[in-house]
């Protein structure tokens, strides 16, 4: 199998001022292409550090992806230093220059002289146009490769630093090309199932015994606990790989049933939007302790406007009364964090926005505000449908941020169950 290395340039990454997200994102993408990772490194914005890292990677890897440092400022050295290392002169590329000037014209801004440096392309390099910024990506085949004992060629791919430029560039242009350049030999099969509502040990417990015959035949199983969900990964190599993974998936679906909400990169919110769209139904929200997070998550999904009518962030009692029609007497007798109020909130949102479904959340995120009966972490999640209004109690005794996420996950999952039930 072909091998790869990732080199992330950027002093800010070493200083801990910027989270190195390319490191994870690219590794995931390249592994999905069945390439084998050898090493990942982050280096400072200096010529010495960049050249040293690239030279070393050239001794080992079939593919080296270098990120960052393609911009116009004085600390953007990647293109120059790699061209120098390879002994390739830089030439002004007219097509790239035209694309950069067009970028400025379309934004009605004057083009700074310094940006022209981004149109300098090492001789023989392939240009990957940037649809979301000015610095193009570059790909160079190092052949012969004097750094490698075998003399085997290596590909060097240079990508821009900003994630919103790098990701679409990789997905739409680099990935299809890599797939051709490094075809998978078809013997590696991997499948990821996403679950929610069950802990990872619970999942392992219900599967482990039955999986042993498959693991003895070469199936690899991975459990990855994330906030409010667990990922289950099956993979295998060789001629029987597909059969093993298929069998494992069938077993998991049988045992875990509706706890599995999706596959691969599916999110709970996307699954819900798609299902509502299929059913031509709508949802409204009444959020208290999640502060709009559920609305935020639903509106991250393209196409949400067809099914998501709106959400109200009713944080205070007054807002719950004014916007949702919650009864002040219920608030006084039961408290804002109660089954009765959660139900009235869901009912109120559904009635006011005339949706098929409404979800509500009301809880105590903490650190203060808890009582013996309702300790910090208590939350009620209401669901109103045309037939019924119900509320369930959950307990998420975690920090505020995690509390909000987990609650949003549980609320979305309640709706998902209503939609599949
Ligand atoms: P550059 O290509 O070096 O001009 O990078 C531009 C911006 O992209 C930087 O200021 C960072 O905000 C961001 N960036 C660069 N490298 C990374 C990385 N590895 N992970 C996340 N963000 C990055
Ligand atoms: Mg930089």
């Amino acid at each position: 199998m072909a091998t790869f290395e990732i080199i992330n340039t950027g002093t800010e990454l070493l200083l801990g001022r910027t989270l190195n997200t390319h490191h994870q994102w690219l590794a995931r993408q390249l592994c999905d292409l069945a390439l084998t990772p050898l090493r990942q490194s982050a280096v400072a914005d200096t010529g010495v550090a960049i050249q040293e890292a690239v030279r070393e990677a050239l001794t080992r890897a079939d593919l080296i992806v270098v990120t960052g440092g393609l911009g116009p400022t004085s600390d953007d050295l990647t293109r120059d230093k790699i061209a120098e290392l390879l002994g390739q002169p830089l030439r002004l590329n007219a097509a790239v220059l035209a694309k950069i000037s067009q970028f400025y014209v379309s934004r009605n801004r004057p083009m700074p002289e310094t940006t022209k440096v981004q149109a300098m392309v090492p001789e023989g390099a392939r240009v990957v146009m940037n649809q979301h910024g000015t610095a193009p990506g570059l790909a160079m085949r190092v052949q012969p490769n004097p750094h490698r004992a075998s003399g085997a060629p290596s590909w060097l791919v240079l990508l821009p630093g900003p994630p919103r430029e790098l990701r679409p560039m990789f997905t739409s242009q680099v990935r299809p090309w890599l797939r051709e350049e490094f075809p998978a030999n078809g013997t590696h099969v991997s499948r990821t199932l996403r679950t929610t509502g069950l802990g990872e040990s619970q999942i392992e417990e219900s599967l482990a015994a039955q999986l042993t015959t498959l693991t003895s035949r070469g199936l690899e199983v991975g459990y990855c606990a994330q906030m409010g969900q667990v990922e289950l990964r099956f993979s295998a190599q060789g001629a029987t790989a597909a059969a093993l993974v298929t069998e494992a998936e069938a077993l998991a679906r049988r045992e875990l049933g509706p706890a599995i909400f999706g596959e691969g990169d599916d999110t709970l919110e996307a699954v819900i939007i798609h299902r509502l769209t299929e059913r031509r139904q709508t949802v409204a929200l009444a959020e208290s302790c999640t502060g709009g997070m559920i609305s935020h998550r639903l509106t991250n999904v393209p196409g949400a406007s067809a099914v998501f009518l709106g959400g109200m962030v009713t944080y205070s009692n007054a807002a719950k009364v004014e916007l949702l029609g919650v009864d002040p007497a219920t608030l006084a007798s039961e408290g804002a964090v109660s089954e009765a109020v959660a139900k009235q909130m869901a009912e109120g949102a559904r009635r006011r926005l005339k949706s098929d479904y409404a979800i509500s959340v009301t809880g105590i995120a903490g650190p203060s505000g808890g009582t013996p009966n309702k300790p910090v972490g208590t939350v009620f999640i209401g669901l109103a449908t045309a037939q019924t209004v119900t509320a369930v109690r959950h307990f998420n005794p975690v920090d505020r941020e995690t509390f909000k996420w987990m609650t949003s996950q549980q609320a979305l999952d309640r709706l998902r169950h209503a939609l599949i039930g």
Side-chain angles (χ1 to χ4, degrees):
M1 281 210 288
T3 56
F4 75 88
E5 290 204 27
I6 297 173
I7 300 170
N8 304 116
T9 73
T11 302
E12 73 276 17
L13 306 173
L14 300 187
L15 296 175
R17 301 196 68 86
T18 300
L19 177 64
N20 186 351
T21 57
H22 297 339
H23 180 89
Q24 187 251 349
W25 192 85
L26 278 172
R28 170 77 193 275
Q29 297 292 321
L30 295 168
C31 289
D32 282 352
L33 289 169
L35 294 168
T36 305
L38 289 184
R39 195 180 293 199
Q40 305 190 353
S41 37
V43 299
D45 289 314
T46 70
V48 173
I50 294 169
Q51 287 186 343
E52 198 176 271
V54 174
R55 200 183 296 117
E56 213 188 293
L58 280 169
T59 65
R60 300 179 288 255
D62 299 313
L63 168 69
I64 301 150
V65 181
V66 186
T67 69
L70 299 179
T73 57
S74 58
D75 62 351
D76 293 316
L77 301 168
T78 305
R79 177 183 29 246
D80 283 33
K81 290 299 163 184
I82 288 180
E84 184 183 289
L85 177 73
L86 302 179
Q88 300 289 5
L90 289 160
R91 308 231 184 275
L92 186 74
N93 182 305
V96 177
L97 187 61
K99 186 93 180 31
I100 295 172
S101 21
Q102 182 205 330
F103 178 92
Y104 283 96
V105 169
S106 70
R107 280 161 182 75
N108 226 343
R109 274 162 38 197
M111 177 171 146
E113 195 57 28
T114 49
T115 57
K116 275 191 187 156
V117 69
Q118 298 170 114
M120 299 301 286
V121 171
E123 206 165 87
R126 182 194 282 237
V127 172
V128 190
M129 287 298 183
N130 190 337
Q131 310 299 348
H132 300 86
T134 51
L138 299 166
M140 289 158 268
R141 191 176 163 89
V142 185
Q143 187 182 36
N145 178 353
H147 305 278
R148 230 169 160 179
S150 66
S154 300
W155 272 104
L156 256 171
V157 177
L158 279 46
L159 299 174
R164 52 168 216 92
E165 296 178 24
L166 176 142
R167 292 182 186 198
M169 182 186 286
F170 184 89
T171 312
S172 69
Q173 299 179 76
V174 179
R175 188 165 58 192
W177 161 70
L178 285 178
R179 205 171 258 145
E180 275 172 32
E181 193 61 38
F182 299 103
N185 52 18
T187 61
H188 177 87
V189 180
S190 163
R191 188 136 182 89
T192 304
L193 300 177
R194 292 192 147 181
T195 69
T196 187
L198 299 174
E200 60 173 340
S201 2
Q202 243 177 318
I203 291 179
E204 183 166 33
E205 222 168 78
S206 55
L207 298 182
Q210 298 184 71
L211 280 174
T212 48
T213 56
L214 297 178
T215 50
S216 69
R217 282 158 52 201
L219 178 80
E220 284 174 49
V221 184
Y223 300 90
C224 178
Q226 298 159 346
M227 259 197 287
Q229 65 184 40
V230 176
E231 251 184 36
L232 184 57
R233 196 181 58 256
F234 298 124
S235 53
Q237 321 263 355
T240 58
L244 277 172
V245 170
T246 304
E247 216 176 309
E249 180 181 350
L251 190 152
R253 290 195 180 275
R254 208 160 53 233
E255 286 300 318
L256 305 174
I260 297 173
F261 69 82
E263 311 162 357
D265 290 325
D266 286 348
T267 61
L268 210 43
E269 50 272 38
V271 167
I272 285 169
I273 295 291
H274 293 148
R275 201 159 265 276
L276 282 168
T277 307
E278 272 169 18
R279 296 167 59 119
R280 296 168 186 276
Q281 289 183 314
T282 56
V283 64
L285 295 175
E287 298 187 65
S288 185
C289 56
T290 43
M293 185 182 265
I294 307 173
S295 306
H296 170 69
R297 289 182 62 181
L298 287 176
T299 53
N300 281 342
V301 183
S305 58
V307 297
F308 174 56
L309 300 186
M312 287 157 277
V313 181
T314 53
Y315 215 58
S316 65
N317 283 358
K320 291 179 180 70
V321 174
E322 282 299 314
L323 298 176
L324 298 169
V326 172
D327 182 1
T330 316
L331 281 165
S333 61
E334 309 281 326
V337 178
S338 62
E339 185 183 338
V341 168
K343 282 160 82 169
Q344 288 187 18
M345 286 171 69
E347 221 176 354
R350 184 173 175 276
R351 191 176 56 241
R352 298 209 168 187
L353 291 177
K354 301 184 177 59
S355 57
D356 294 296
Y357 299 91
I359 329 178
S360 67
V361 291
T362 175
I364 307 159
S368 60
T371 65
N373 282 339
K374 292 174 189 166
V376 166
T378 302
V379 59
F380 291 87
I381 298 174
L383 173 71
T385 71
Q387 290 79 35
T388 58
V389 186
T390 52
V392 295
R393 182 177 179 147
H394 283 268
F395 185 47
N396 304 324
V398 285
D399 63 275
R400 276 177 86 85
E401 215 177 314
T402 312
F403 172 90
K404 287 172 72 174
W405 178 266
M406 287 181 68
T407 303
S408 74
Q409 193 78 351
Q410 290 153 350
L412 289 171
D413 204 39
R414 268 215 85 189
L415 177 59
R416 183 180 67 93
H417 277 271
L419 290 170
I420 57 178

